[in-house]
Amino acid sequence: MTSVNVKLLYHYVITNLFNLCFFPLTAIVAGKASRLTIDDLHHLYYSYLQHNLITIAPLFAFTVFGSVLYIVTRPKPVYLVEYSCYLPPTHCRSSISKVMDIFYQVRKADPSRNGTCDDSSWLEFLRKIQERSGLGDETHGPEGLLQVPPLKTFAAAREETEQVIIGALENLFKNTKVNPKEIGILVVNSSMFNPTPSLSAMVVNTFKLRSNVRSFNLGGMGCSAGVIAIDLAKDLLHVHKNTYALVVSTENITYNIYAGDNRSMMVSNCLFRVGGAAILLSNKPRDRRRSKYELVHTVRTHTGADDKSFRCVQQGDDESGKTGVSLSKDITDVAGRTVKKNIATLGPLILPLSEKLLFFVTFIAKKLFKDKVKHYYVPDFKLAIDHFCIHAGGRAVIDVLEKNLALAPIDVEASRSTLHRFGNTSSSSIWYELAYIEAKGRMKKGNKVWQIALGSGFKCNSAVWVALSNVKASTNSPWEHCIDRYPVQIDSDSAKSETRVQNGRS
């Protein structure tokens, strides 16, 4: 406790060092100035200023010119006006036992199996993954796969994605009262499903966006593509003035469920669920008053130049020709290394001076005394960040980042609750987490929130926002009817018994 108090005192002194020095000096200068007489001022002018006007005038002009140039050329703020997370209908809810039944039906419907599915080892493997996944019984599956036999068709996949995107956008436009024709920039990201015409073209057609809208469709960029889309929209808003940018993040389950026997490809079936988010950004000064957040930083890290990083998450065919996404055994090491690089870039941008000094001191000490200093100092990011939205990729992902960033359980509560309630919704999961924090009433004016997402390639991307007011939950929030039940203590025993019943039935 004493060490904690000492560190807090150190942090306070370093952070407020300027103020602690400025006010006493101001008081001293003010005291001296109050004793000056008219004769003293005349003496000051004739002795110093009059003889140095040639120097002072250009210096003053240069200062004014530099200030004006800075004001004119600095990037304009990017505001998050509102966002909307898609909430699938209740009949699409998929308990763990129901998900296991979907896997069984998909495999049984595979023509190569001739209507039989006797192998139980794959089901036992999936059951164990489900038990450890952190997902609950209220996640959502796509309507096509909930049918018997499942519809794993292109048409069913298109219908799933259109329902998610249109549902999220309709709620967004309803909440903001923005006319779709006011949208000047559109960015849609979906990693695994990219039909022709594109999903961005589908949005343009459905909501009748104007013909000169600048539209982009991002594919194959994994679960971190949501932050990439935000970063792209930010850069475009810095160029194109007085407009709105619309970002849509989603993923498709129907077309990408794996029905083979390769275990490295079966894991994704257990984690991914239906979901999506639509985000409205603006660079209009008048929108600041009604916006929720202002974008402070985006940091993107890509380690794909390394072969292990590039191949650790890869789509391809298994031995029998069935398409799936394989996860290599190197993914944990790759993710850890990529996250560290991302944090090393973001840290200097957001950490207070006190933490930077401690890191610098330990860095020098480790260089000089390698044997005595084993590790670098791990900065306390909670001194700079109030809320954390860690991509709900799985329980292991959240556990690792919670440990490495020295976070408390409440710091990862939004991530764990999102994983339990909605599963891994890919690039949109960080928005369900932000909605959770708002629904709990924890987002206060001036709070900073850090969204961090991991994706294939391998990539780690971060976005930092600052709240412009005490943010309340949006109308039709996905947590509107269940926030009081969270956080929950996951009952592993009940999950085990439920899946064992399903295993016996199958």
Side-chain angles (χ1 to χ4, degrees):
M1 182 62 70
T2 303
S3 61
V4 173
N5 292 334
V6 170
K7 185 174 180 180
L8 289 175
L9 177 62
Y10 159 77
H11 170 69
Y12 177 82
V13 170
I14 297 298
T15 303
N16 297 279
L17 185 61
F18 176 79
N19 292 334
L20 293 174
C21 297
F22 176 76
F23 288 112
L25 288 174
T26 302
I28 294 172
V29 172
K32 294 285 187 181
S34 64
R35 291 194 290 269
L36 291 176
T37 64
I38 298 297
D39 293 336
D40 293 331
L41 295 176
H42 279 292
H43 177 71
L44 179 64
Y45 174 77
Y46 288 113
S47 300
Y48 299 99
L49 299 181
Q50 188 179 38
H51 300 293
N52 293 281
L53 285 178
I54 296 177
T55 304
I56 295 173
L59 181 62
F60 177 76
F62 179 78
T63 302
V64 172
F65 175 78
S67 301
V68 172
L69 184 65
Y70 170 76
I71 294 172
V72 171
T73 59
R74 68 175 179 174
K76 301 298 181 183
V78 173
Y79 303 115
L80 193 162
V81 180
E82 182 60 279
Y83 66 96
S84 174
C85 298
Y86 177 69
L87 180 62
T90 55
H91 67 265
C92 289
R93 285 189 181 175
S94 304
S95 63
I96 292 177
S97 61
K98 196 170 185 178
V99 170
M100 297 297 290
D101 188 54
I102 290 174
F103 298 155
Y104 179 79
Q105 295 295 339
V106 168
R107 287 170 63 90
K108 188 176 180 180
D110 183 2
S112 65
R113 300 182 187 276
N114 297 318
T116 62
C117 188
D118 297 328
D119 185 12
S120 60
S121 62
W122 66 270
L123 191 60
E124 178 65 17
F125 173 74
L126 290 178
R127 179 185 65 77
K128 291 180 179 179
I129 297 296
Q130 289 279 178
E131 290 176 3
R132 302 167 186 170
S133 66
L135 277 68
D137 282 334
E138 295 187 358
T139 60
H140 299 87
E143 291 189 11
L145 295 182
L146 294 175
Q147 299 182 31
V148 179
L151 289 177
K152 192 176 181 291
T153 63
F154 191 89
R158 182 188 290 274
E159 183 178 358
E160 176 202 336
T161 298
E162 288 182 353
Q163 286 178 350
V164 172
I165 292 178
I166 294 173
L169 284 174
E170 285 180 342
N171 189 55
L172 179 68
F173 288 133
K174 181 180 178 181
N175 288 345
T176 60
K177 310 299 182 187
V178 170
N179 188 326
K181 291 188 179 298
E182 296 182 67
I183 304 299
I185 298 165
L186 171 65
V187 184
V188 179
N189 70 269
S190 173
S191 184
M192 305 290 289
F193 183 66
N194 293 282
T196 300
S198 67
L199 297 177
S200 60
M202 182 271 290
V203 173
V204 172
N205 176 260
T206 303
F207 294 94
K208 309 306 176 187
L209 272 59
R210 64 197 197 202
S211 60
N212 64 342
V213 64
R214 296 167 177 86
S215 65
F216 301 84
N217 200 91
L218 307 180
M221 304 195 78
C223 298
S224 65
V227 177
I228 296 175
I230 292 293
D231 185 59
L232 174 59
K234 176 200 72 174
D235 290 343
L236 292 168
L237 285 171
H238 285 164
V239 176
H240 305 285
K241 307 303 181 184
N242 200 41
T243 190
Y244 288 110
L246 185 62
V247 174
V248 182
S249 297
T250 189
E251 191 52 88
N252 185 276
I253 309 300
T254 302
Y255 209 57
N256 297 290
I257 192 168
Y258 175 68
D261 300 316
N262 188 313
R263 295 195 172 188
S264 69
M265 293 182 172
M266 292 164 65
V267 176
S268 60
N269 286 353
C270 301
L271 298 176
F272 286 92
R273 298 293 187 270
V274 173
I279 304 96
L280 183 67
L281 304 176
S282 173
N283 58 11
K284 301 180 181 182
R286 66 175 180 271
D287 278 329
R288 179 183 176 87
R289 180 174 295 181
R290 70 164 180 155
S291 297
K292 287 186 170 184
Y293 305 94
E294 180 180 339
L295 184 59
V296 182
H297 300 290
T298 53
V299 173
R300 293 168 54 181
T301 303
H302 200 312
T303 57
D306 176 71
D307 289 341
K308 283 186 178 180
S309 296
F310 178 70
R311 295 191 176 95
C312 69
V313 180
Q314 201 161 31
Q315 185 181 25
D317 294 335
D318 65 7
E319 298 79 5
S320 59
K322 295 181 177 66
T323 303
V325 177
S326 63
L327 307 177
S328 78
K329 61 182 180 180
D330 300 316
I331 189 169
T332 304
D333 293 336
V334 167
R337 185 170 68 253
T338 309
V339 168
K340 286 181 180 179
K341 289 186 177 181
N342 186 268
I343 292 174
T345 305
L346 181 66
L349 299 176
I350 63 173
L351 286 171
L353 180 61
S354 57
E355 291 299 288
K356 295 177 185 178
L357 286 175
L358 285 176
F359 178 81
F360 178 74
V361 169
T362 57
F363 178 82
I364 297 299
K366 184 169 175 56
K367 291 293 183 182
L368 297 176
F369 310 102
K370 294 182 179 179
D371 297 333
K372 295 182 179 180
V373 181
K374 301 297 183 183
H375 304 287
Y376 292 117
Y377 171 73
V378 178
D380 186 355
F381 279 89
K382 289 185 287 186
L383 294 174
I385 299 295
D386 301 284
H387 307 286
F388 298 82
C389 294
I390 299 169
H391 167 54
R395 182 183 288 180
V397 174
I398 302 172
D399 288 344
V400 168
L401 286 175
E402 178 184 13
K403 179 181 178 181
N404 291 344
L405 295 176
L407 302 179
I410 194 172
D411 296 320
V412 294
E413 182 182 306
S415 300
R416 294 195 189 281
S417 297
T418 295
L419 181 64
H420 183 270
R421 177 65 180 84
F422 296 102
N424 180 354
T425 61
S426 189
S427 57
S428 65
S429 68
I430 53 178
W431 297 104
Y432 287 89
E433 294 166 18
L434 186 58
Y436 178 90
I437 297 170
E438 294 176 2
K440 282 292 185 180
R442 296 173 182 170
M443 190 65 70
K444 306 302 180 184
K445 183 177 181 179
N447 281 180
K448 287 184 179 179
V449 56
W450 178 10
Q451 293 177 319
I452 180 169
L454 307 174
S456 58
F458 195 85
K459 299 180 288 293
C460 176
N461 300 318
S462 294
V464 179
W465 307 83
V466 60
L468 299 176
S469 61
N470 295 338
V471 182
K472 297 180 181 179
S474 304
T475 305
N476 295 325
S477 164
W479 298 96
E480 197 168 62
H481 304 294
C482 62
I483 191 62
D484 294 335
R485 294 191 277 115
Y486 283 87
V488 298
Q489 183 66 39
I490 299 175
D491 187 353
S492 298
D493 294 333
S494 63
K496 289 178 182 179
S497 62
E498 192 172 20
T499 49
R500 281 169 183 158
V501 169
Q502 171 61 24
N503 189 18
R505 185 182 65 76
S506 299

